[in-house]
Amino acid sequence: MAVITISRQVAALGDEIAAATAKLLGYKFIDRKAIEQHIINLGFPADKLKKYDEVKPGFFASLAKDRDEYLDYLQTAILESAAEGNCILIGRGSFIILEDVPNLVALRFVSKDKVRMSRLMAEFSWDEKKARQRIEESDSNRLGFHKSFFNLENEDPTHFHMVINSSLLNVDAAAQTIADFCAHFITPEKEAAGQKKITELLAAQHLVNSLIFEHKLNINFLRAVIFDKTITLQGVADSSALAEKAVAVASSLMPGYTVESAISVVQDFKAYP
């Protein structure tokens, strides 16, 4: 079956539609709190999470090493969840982390501002000014989050299979539309190819985590790409010796694979203050 990701505006009924779709399809809905807890369980400090989790990092936070560590843990959490299959993931750039997965169904939920304001005012007993402030803050944070971590516009509709306006479709109608789309779009071939791709992506991310967190290799922006039986390491190191060590360690961790380096060597490179 599919792995469904959801990008949403605040008060566009993202959680409600996701929950209804999960019930209809018999999928697991992995909500905001579950993803947060997964990131923490992997090792990212809970007290630092609020600086990065679906918000635009402040100036100093964006320059800190914690930023890249958060991204590594985030990608691991998303990939480990997707590996379970038959799931719905909400937010956190999951649609871009899984963009190359053949059985991905990426959705975005939007709604008219006046409708979003009305929903917030009814839910929290806010006045119009407070509701508008919440919308502007949320939209800005989500835009900044995706720009900072993935260098993309989360509002760009070309990233999604469908964009659903919840001002026009109610929760049940939206859920049924998604279920019908999945039934026609996802084939056994796409499902098999998707499972293979997620396995490769997760193996690559686990390798990166091992090199950074266990072997303490100070390679910035480290990424591993697996294609067939070849692993290519990418990133920035301050010496060729460090890049060579990364290849040697990766080769020992991934027997049966050929490990190649595409790591850029920049002497005196300092990514963090």
Side-chain angles (χ1 to χ4, degrees):
M1 299 295 286
V3 174
I4 300 174
T5 62
I6 291 175
S7 169
R8 77 287 188 219
Q9 293 179 320
V10 67
L13 303 182
D15 288 88
E16 293 85 347
I17 296 173
T21 304
K23 183 177 181 180
L24 191 61
L25 292 175
Y27 279 24
K28 180 179 180 180
F29 174 32
I30 302 171
D31 63 12
R32 179 177 183 270
K33 290 184 178 180
I35 296 173
E36 286 179 357
Q37 191 58 53
H38 198 154
I39 293 169
I40 293 168
N41 291 345
L42 286 167
F44 193 76
D47 61 334
K48 295 180 179 179
L49 194 65
K50 64 182 181 181
K51 295 181 181 179
Y52 302 101
D53 201 41
E54 214 163 45
V55 298
K56 179 182 179 180
F59 177 75
F60 290 107
S62 67
L63 297 177
K65 193 171 184 178
D66 291 338
R67 176 204 176 278
D68 289 346
E69 291 184 357
Y70 166 80
L71 182 57
D72 284 323
Y73 285 124
L74 168 64
Q75 292 178 148
T76 305
I78 295 298
L79 289 167
E80 287 184 349
S81 298
E84 299 178 10
N86 297 354
C87 64
I88 300 176
L89 292 150
I90 194 163
R92 308 306 184 284
S94 52
F95 70 92
I96 193 68
I97 294 171
L98 300 171
E99 67 172 338
D100 294 327
V101 173
N103 62 329
L104 171 69
V105 173
L107 308 170
R108 179 162 173 80
F109 300 146
V110 300
S111 195
K112 295 178 181 179
D113 282 356
K114 65 179 182 180
V115 174
R116 293 200 287 160
M117 289 177 60
S118 176
R119 288 170 180 162
L120 289 172
M121 291 166 66
E123 182 176 358
F124 299 106
S125 299
W126 288 345
D127 60 20
E128 184 175 316
K129 180 180 179 180
K130 177 68 174 178
R132 185 179 297 278
Q133 287 176 341
R134 175 67 179 115
I135 287 172
E136 291 175 352
E137 177 186 40
S138 176
D139 289 353
S140 176
N141 267 329
R142 291 176 182 177
L143 189 66
F145 172 83
H146 289 87
K147 191 68 175 177
S148 175
F149 287 102
F150 305 107
N151 194 30
L152 59 79
E153 302 283 339
N154 63 309
E155 297 176 348
D156 181 353
T158 62
H159 293 298
F160 307 101
H161 294 82
M162 286 195 295
V163 178
I164 295 177
N165 186 342
S166 66
S167 302
L168 306 176
L169 287 179
N170 64 28
V171 170
D172 290 337
Q176 188 62 60
T177 299
I178 295 165
D180 292 343
F181 177 80
C182 290
H184 287 88
F185 180 72
I186 301 299
T187 63
E189 293 77 17
K190 284 181 179 177
E191 183 176 6
Q195 291 173 342
K196 180 176 182 293
K197 185 63 177 180
I198 290 171
T199 298
E200 290 177 347
L201 291 170
L202 187 54
Q205 187 61 54
H206 282 160
L207 174 60
V208 168
N209 292 354
S210 181
L211 293 174
I212 293 175
F213 301 128
E214 296 175 20
H215 293 272
K216 309 297 183 183
L217 298 185
N218 190 25
I219 299 174
N220 296 284
F221 318 121
L222 183 61
R223 184 169 180 255
V225 178
I226 296 178
F227 182 75
D228 289 335
K229 299 301 284 186
T230 299
I231 299 172
T232 303
L233 299 179
Q234 303 170 349
V236 181
D238 62 5
S239 72
S240 57
L242 184 56
E244 291 168 3
K245 183 176 181 180
V247 170
V249 174
S251 297
S252 69
L253 293 172
M254 302 289 287
Y257 286 86
T258 299
V259 181
E260 300 177 346
S261 175
I263 297 171
S264 299
V265 177
V266 181
Q267 292 185 348
D268 301 322
F269 176 80
K270 301 295 181 185
Y272 311 108

